[in-house]
Amino acid sequence: RRKELTVRQTSLPWHFIPNGIFRTDKFEQSNRKNLENNNLCNDFRYLYKKKGKELYIIATNLNTAERVIFGHDYVHNVLISKAMQASIAIPLFYKPVTIENADYVDGAVVKTASMDLAITKGADLIICYNPFRPFNCDSFSMHCKEKNGGRFRIAEDGIYAVLNQVMRSMLHTRLMHGIDLYRKDPDFKGDIILFQPTEYDNAFFEMNPMSFRERRKAAKRGFESVKGAINGQYDILKKILNAHGIEVNPEFRADLPDMAEDAFWDQRETVSGI
């Protein structure tokens, strides 16, 4: 009788490569402690029941490639700090976050911005901030000839610049496609306000979103760019907000910076009112 042999299949080389570079456990621990120290709720159902606040956090189930919504009336058997941890797990950079035998990564993997959820919940005014706008070399050369001396190519800056541009392009394209669908949807009667850097903001493009050391610089840059956008579109924003019963303090504009070329603010594309 022929003897049957059991052969163990050799694992492929990439099975030994980690599924992410960094862990996010300390991020979750820090947020949990901050919530506790400030007497803030870390439970979706309690937050809604006691405070009347609806909070939704989006992640992607890595095993099913489906969007998962954490909230009091969706997946609620998880701490808010844990849902936040799952939501920021950018693939490759951060390891997937395991919650009850399911692995989660960043929610933007399947949907850049879950504006449909806000609309489903009855929102008629949506304010969206998109820091990941792709860079346009031609636009940069046109606006900054004196500073740059001519156009350049992203490919010359190495693999990080290429990956950065590709990621931004995918996220931004899906976001704008979604906004365009709502613009054409006769059933949606609300407004969407979109804030984002200009397509020639070289400083924002060169910042490493994974760099802990640049977090303050990135936050300041984003804050100042939004203030500049508000200044450039103040009249339009005031009209949109007033239509939704939101009054704008006239003194607020006095604290806004002047529109300057060095700030790279684009008055044409920072606000989308639908």
Side-chain angles (χ1 to χ4, degrees), residues 232-257:
Q233 299 279 5
Y234 183 82
D235 293 334
I236 297 177
L237 279 171
K238 182 179 179 181
K239 182 179 179 180
I240 294 175
L241 295 176
N242 287 345
H244 293 274
I246 302 175
E247 296 185 3
V248 180
N249 188 344
E251 297 180 359
F252 174 74
R253 193 172 191 181
D255 297 329
L256 294 175

Side-chain angles (χ1 to χ4, degrees), residues 12 23 29 43 70 96 113 167 200 205 228 234 248 256 263 274:
L12 296 175
R23 301 183 64 89
Q29 295 170 7
D43 182 274
F70 296 102
M167 179 193 71
Y200 49 89
F205 179 76
Y234 183 82
V248 180
L256 294 175
I274 299 178

Side-chain angles (χ1 to χ4, degrees), residues 23-25 27-28 31 57-59 81-91 93-95 97 104-108 210:
R23 301 183 64 89
T24 53
D25 297 320
F27 172 84
E28 190 277 331
N31 283 326
I57 298 176
I58 312 300
S81 58
K82 195 68 177 180
M84 293 170 62
Q85 180 188 9
S87 181
I88 67 149
I90 300 176
F93 289 103
Y94 297 127
K95 292 179 177 293
V97 176
Y104 295 93
V105 293
D106 193 336
M210 301 295 106

